Each structure stands twice: as C-alpha cells, then as structure tokens.
C-alpha cells in the first residue's frame, strides 16, 4: 500500500525550480531560491547533506571542488567552517561571497514565503542511513506545525536513505528518484511507501504514469529544459516538472 497524499494536501505544484534557480544564480544557495521566486516559481528542488558535526546543509556534490574554492569532501568539515565558504564566486562576480546555506536557513525562507520543497537527500557515499535519519529529524522539527500541503517531499536516489527517513518521520512524503528503471525499483518504491517517483524525463511515458497513478503515486520528472519535452509530458498528464529554465517556462502555465 503506497503512502497516500490527498490532492489538496500534495505540497508541490507542477513547476519546480532545480537547485533553486541553479543556472541563473549559484545552485543550492538562497540567492538561487530568490532568483527562482523572482521568476514566479513557488516550489524548489535542492540537495542536502551533512557536515562533519551533522548539520544539514545544501550541496550537490560529495566534494567542495566544483562550486567553491575549497577542495575535498564536504563531510570532513564542521558547519562553522562550511558556513564561511564562498559558494557563489564560481558562478559569477555578482555572487561572490554567497554562502553555503544551512537547511535551517532554507526552511525559514520557504516557510516565510509559503513555498514548496522537493528536498533531495544527497548522502556522502557510505553515509546513506545516517543522513536519511538526521535529515528527516531536521525536517520534522523545522516544519513542525506545517500542514501537509506545506510539508517538504523527501526524495533520494538512495533507497537506504529513504528507508531511514521513513523509520524516523513516516508522516513526511517520500519520493524515489530513478535515473534508470533498475531491477527492483518498483518494489522499492512500494516498500518505501513513496508518494511519488521522480524519473529522468526520458524514462517517463504514458505506461509509467498510469502505473504510478494506479498505485496512488505522483509522477514527476527531472530536469526538463526543452519545450518539446515539456509539451509531451503535459499531454501525458505529468504531475511535476523540475527545470533549470525558470526564465523560459512560466510557473503559472
């Protein structure tokens, strides 16, 4: 039996900004969220992992190399040090000095504005269950008192992380991310009581949407930046589209 979320309580609209507005501004920063909001987006996707002292913060990669001047595994640094890292200068001079945000800071911004969140649990390899457990604890605390329609969706490519989040905060909706339809993905989504499955957009077709809907799950896709693909998916009845192209696709359509 899948985790059922009533239509009125489903927290995500059709359009979701990828990593904030992670092409127009440095990904996974408050600046990117503000840029997405400036373009009319009211829901966001971002990546969360843990610091050395178990503070949840936003970063996609296991290492700091691509999006900061620092090097090495982010997991090896305490939050005090990570909070002072420049996460914006790599993108452009306009964002030099933009910090890595904590999940707490993101939660404050989203709750203040009534925005939705697809929160991808992105564990450092080997830290899947621990990360899933602590992220679920943090979300339950940071969104305490929120209605179901205001609650983040916890997503991950790692079933172990989702299993830990399920055990820790079963009331939070979960979504399995899949880049390929690997053997066992469907039993895993069911065992995890997923409210949704989020696939690479190239995998999504009418049969898969029908399978998910028949099980009471939503069908979402990432990362769609092509107009023809958007139109195809809309015709199929897709429930959510994660995009980088917040300046080209209106969140109101």
């Amino acid at each position: 039996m899948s985790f059922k979320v009533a239509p009125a309580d489903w927290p995500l609209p059709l359009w979701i900004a990828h990593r904030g507005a992670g092409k127009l501004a440095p990904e996974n920063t408050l600046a990117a969220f503000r840029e997405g909001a400036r373009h009319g987006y009211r829901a966001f996707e971002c990546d969360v992992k843990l610091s050395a002292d178990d503070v949840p913060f936003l970063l996609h990669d296991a290492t700091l190399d691509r999006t900061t001047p620092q090097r090495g595994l982010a997991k090896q640094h305490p939050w005090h040090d990570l909070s002072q890292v420049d996460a914006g200068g790599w993108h452009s001079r306009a964002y030099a000095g933009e910090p890595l945000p904590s999940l707490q800071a993101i939660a404050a911004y989203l709750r203040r504005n009534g925005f939705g969140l697809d929160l991808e649990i992105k564990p450092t390899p080997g830290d899947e269950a621990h990360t899933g457990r602590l992220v679920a604890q943090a979300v339950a605390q940071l969104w305490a008192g929120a209605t179901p329609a205001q609650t983040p969706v916890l997503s991950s490519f790692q079933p172990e992380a989702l299993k830990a989040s399920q055990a820790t905060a079963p009331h939070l909706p979960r979504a399995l991310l899949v880049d390929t339809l690997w053997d066992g993905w469907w039993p895993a989504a069911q065992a995890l009581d997923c409210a949704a499955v989020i696939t690479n957009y190239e995998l999504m077709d009418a049969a898969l949407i029908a399978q998910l809907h028949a099980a009471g799950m939503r069908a979402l896709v990432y990362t769609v930046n092509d107009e023809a693909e958007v139109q195809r998916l809309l015709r199929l009845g897709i429930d959510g589209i994660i995009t980088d192209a917040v300046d080209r696709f209106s969140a109101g359509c």
Side-chain angles (χ1 to χ4, degrees), residues 82-247:
L82 290 169
S83 67
Q84 300 178 61
V85 169
D86 176 7
W90 68 274
H91 181 276
S92 60
R93 290 182 180 178
Y95 293 107
E98 182 71 23
L100 291 168
S102 66
L103 181 59
Q104 182 177 14
I106 292 296
Y109 174 78
L110 295 174
R111 295 202 66 178
R112 191 178 305 120
N113 289 284
F115 293 158
L117 181 64
D118 165 21
L119 184 63
E120 182 182 345
I121 304 171
K122 202 79 172 180
T124 301
D127 206 25
E128 289 80 9
H130 183 63
T131 304
R133 181 170 61 256
L134 291 193
V135 168
Q137 287 178 358
V139 169
Q141 293 167 0
L142 293 168
W143 274 267
T147 67
Q150 300 167 332
T151 302
V153 175
L154 301 183
S155 64
S156 187
F157 287 98
Q158 305 298 328
E160 189 177 352
L162 288 178
K163 184 177 180 181
S165 73
Q166 177 186 19
T168 302
H171 67 287
L172 297 176
R174 291 168 297 282
L176 181 64
L177 279 157
V178 291
D179 193 44
T180 62
L181 298 179
W182 44 271
D183 289 344
W185 76 269
W186 179 237
Q190 293 176 305
L192 291 164
D193 288 339
C194 285
V197 172
I198 308 173
T199 76
N200 181 317
Y201 72 88
E202 295 178 337
L203 300 178
M204 192 62 72
D205 58 18
L208 184 51
I209 290 177
Q211 178 181 0
L212 295 171
H213 285 176
M217 300 182 196
R218 270 79 175 176
L220 288 79
V221 288
Y222 70 90
T223 304
V224 188
N225 299 322
D226 178 74
E227 176 67 30
E229 279 299 318
V230 166
Q231 294 306 319
R232 179 184 74 86
L233 292 160
L234 291 176
R235 287 194 297 270
L236 292 177
I238 199 70
D239 299 306
I241 297 174
I242 300 170
T243 184
D244 294 313
V246 302
D247 53 340

